[in-house]
Amino acid sequence: MELILLLFSAKYNFLLIVLFVTFILSIIFLGSVFSVLSRPSQLTHVEIVKGDTLYQNINKLNLNSYDQFVVKVFFSIFSSKQIYPGIYDASDMSLQQFFKAILSGELKKFKLQIIEGDNVFNIASKIQKLLPNNDCPDLGCLDNASFPFVEGTLFPDTYFLTSTDSVRDMLINSQLRLSKLLDGYWNVSESRLDSKYQALILASLIEKEAGTKAEMPVIASVFYNRIKIGMKLQSDPTIIYGLLPNFDGDIKKTDIIDKNNIFNTYAIKGLPPTPISMVSKLSLDAVFNPANTDFYYFVSKGNGEHYFSKTLDEHQAAVRKFQLQ
C-alpha cells in the first residue's frame, strides 16, 4: 500500500511539474506571439488574390524564422478559416490589426469624389488612378443608359468603394440619383425649356459660369433673356468643353469663331448638344427658379463675382473696367 501511495505521489508530482513547465512555456510562447503581433505591419497596400492562404500571407511579412514560426503556430487554429481577397491598406496597422482585417474582410476603402463642375474627362481619370479594378473604363458603361448623353448625368457626392465593388454599379446608381432629382424638378415646375435634358444642359452652363452660389439665379436669368430674343449664349466654358481634353488653357480668337466646335455658343444658337459638366442642386434650382432681371450680359470682376449689365454699352464699359485695366 505504501509503495502504491509512493508511486502515485511521484506520478502526481511529475504531472504537476509537467503542467507547470507547460504553463511557463505557454506564457513565454504567448508573450512572443503578442510581442510580434503588436509590431507595425511594415506593409502598405496588400493585395490578396483568390486562393491565397493565411500562411502565404504570414510568409510575406518581414519576420525572422522564430517569429514566423510562433505566429504560424498561433494562427494554426485559423488555418481553415477563409481570408477575403481584395486590397487592404495596412500602412497604419499593427500585425494583429492586419490579420484581423484579412480574416474579417475589412478591405481598403477608396474615396471617389464627384464634384459639381467636374466633367467626364476628370471623373474617368480619377477612377482610373484610384481603383485597380475598373469595370467601366472611360464611363463607357453609361452609354445608352437613362440619358441620351453621359456628361452631366452623375450625382455629385463622395463615394466609397473597395477593390471588389463594381464601379459600373456605383456610376449607374449615381446616375439614377441625378435622374430622380431632375424628374422631381421637372414634374413640379413650369419650365421655360422644351425638355428636362435641356434643363440639365443649362444647369451645367450656370455651374461653370457662376462665381458664387448667390449668382446662379441671376446668371440663369441672363441665359433665359438671351434665349427669349434669339441671342447667342456666348459662354466661354462651352468653347473650352468643345476643346477638351486637349485645351491648353487659352481661348484664342480662332476658337471663338470656330463653327466646327459644336459646343461653341459663340458660333451656334441655343444650348450646346449636351451638358458641359456635372451639376449641383443649386444650379438646378437656378434653372427652375431664375431671378427676374433685365440683364443680358455679365463679366468677371476678378474677385470671384460678376458685373451684370442690361445693355451692350454698359457691358463694354464693364469689360474695360474689370478686364482691360
Side-chain angles (χ1 to χ4, degrees):
M1 185 67 178
E2 290 181 1
L3 179 59
I4 293 174
L5 291 174
L6 182 63
L7 291 173
F8 178 79
S9 176
K11 185 177 180 180
Y12 179 75
N13 290 335
F14 175 75
L15 288 173
L16 286 177
I17 292 171
V18 169
L19 288 173
F20 178 74
V21 171
T22 301
F23 174 75
I24 295 299
L25 291 177
S26 297
I27 294 296
I28 295 172
F29 174 76
L30 289 174
S32 298
V33 170
F34 293 130
S35 174
V36 174
L37 293 181
S38 65
R39 298 175 193 170
S41 67
Q42 297 183 340
L43 302 170
T44 52
H45 291 175
V46 177
E47 182 171 8
I48 295 177
V49 299
K50 188 174 181 180
D52 273 359
T53 66
L54 185 62
Y55 282 176
Q56 285 174 323
N57 282 276
I58 294 174
N59 291 335
K60 295 177 184 178
L61 304 175
N62 187 23
L63 301 176
N64 60 45
S65 298
Y66 174 75
D67 288 345
Q68 190 174 105
F69 168 76
V70 296
V71 171
K72 281 187 174 181
V73 171
F74 177 75
F75 278 107
S76 63
I77 59 176
F78 301 106
S79 60
S80 61
K81 187 171 177 60
Q82 176 186 3
I83 61 172
Y84 294 85
I87 293 179
Y88 296 82
D89 183 2
S91 54
D92 294 318
M93 289 183 177
S94 67
L95 289 176
Q96 180 180 357
Q97 291 169 324
F98 168 66
F99 285 116
K100 179 183 176 184
I102 66 174
L103 287 167
S104 60
E106 297 174 13
L107 297 172
K108 172 181 171 60
K109 291 187 181 295
F110 296 88
K111 182 170 76 171
L112 174 65
Q113 289 183 304
I114 297 178
I115 303 170
E116 53 268 18
D118 270 351
N119 57 53
V120 288
F121 305 102
N122 301 142
I123 295 170
S125 177
K126 286 181 184 180
I127 294 172
Q128 191 63 38
K129 291 177 181 178
L130 185 67
L131 296 164
N133 301 318
N134 181 4
D135 57 356
C136 187
D138 298 321
L139 310 189
C141 65
L142 298 178
D143 290 344
N144 302 316
S146 54
F147 290 91
F149 41 73
V150 172
E151 183 63 83
T153 66
L154 299 175
F155 189 91
D157 204 348
T158 300
Y159 299 86
F160 293 92
L161 302 93
T162 70
S163 55
T164 60
D165 289 331
S166 167
V167 175
R168 177 183 181 276
D169 290 347
M170 182 276 293
L171 292 173
I172 289 176
N173 287 333
S174 176
Q175 210 177 49
L176 290 173
R177 289 177 67 189
L178 192 282
S179 180
K180 184 177 181 180
L181 176 65
L182 182 57
D183 286 345
Y185 279 108
W186 189 258
N187 292 336
V188 300
S189 303
E190 292 184 7
S191 177
R192 307 181 191 183
L193 301 170
D194 294 334
S195 72
K196 63 181 180 181
Y197 300 130
Q198 286 188 351
L200 193 58
I201 294 169
L202 181 55
S204 74
L205 269 64
I206 296 167
E207 194 71 56
K208 297 301 288 185
E209 288 282 15
T212 66
K213 295 175 182 178
E215 285 186 346
M216 287 184 172
V218 184
I219 289 178
S221 75
V222 171
F223 286 135
Y224 277 125
N225 291 341
R226 290 182 176 185
I227 291 171
K228 186 175 181 180
I229 65 171
M231 179 180 173
K232 291 176 181 175
L233 298 185
Q234 298 180 339
S235 172
D236 288 357
T238 63
I239 296 177
I240 294 171
Y241 185 78
L243 297 173
L244 292 176
N246 301 314
F247 178 59
D248 63 5
D250 179 32
I251 298 178
K252 303 173 181 63
K253 184 177 180 180
T254 53
D255 296 327
I256 295 174
I257 62 175
D258 183 9
K259 294 183 178 180
N260 293 320
N261 182 347
I262 62 174
F263 289 89
N264 180 9
T265 53
Y266 283 84
I268 65 171
K269 279 190 175 183
L271 294 165
T274 77
I276 60 172
S277 75
M278 305 304 154
V279 303
S280 64
K281 186 177 184 296
L282 288 173
S283 62
L284 280 172
D285 279 338
V287 169
F288 291 99
N289 300 286
N292 184 17
T293 77
D294 295 324
F295 296 136
Y296 288 87
Y297 305 93
F298 58 90
V299 63
S300 173
K301 295 195 293 186
N303 64 353
E305 298 178 348
H306 289 88
Y307 182 88
F308 295 88
S309 304
K310 296 179 182 179
T311 67
L312 181 59
D313 287 343
E314 183 185 1
H315 174 64
Q316 289 175 336
V319 170
R320 288 191 295 270
K321 178 179 179 179
F322 295 111
Q323 298 288 309
L324 302 179
Q325 60 182 351

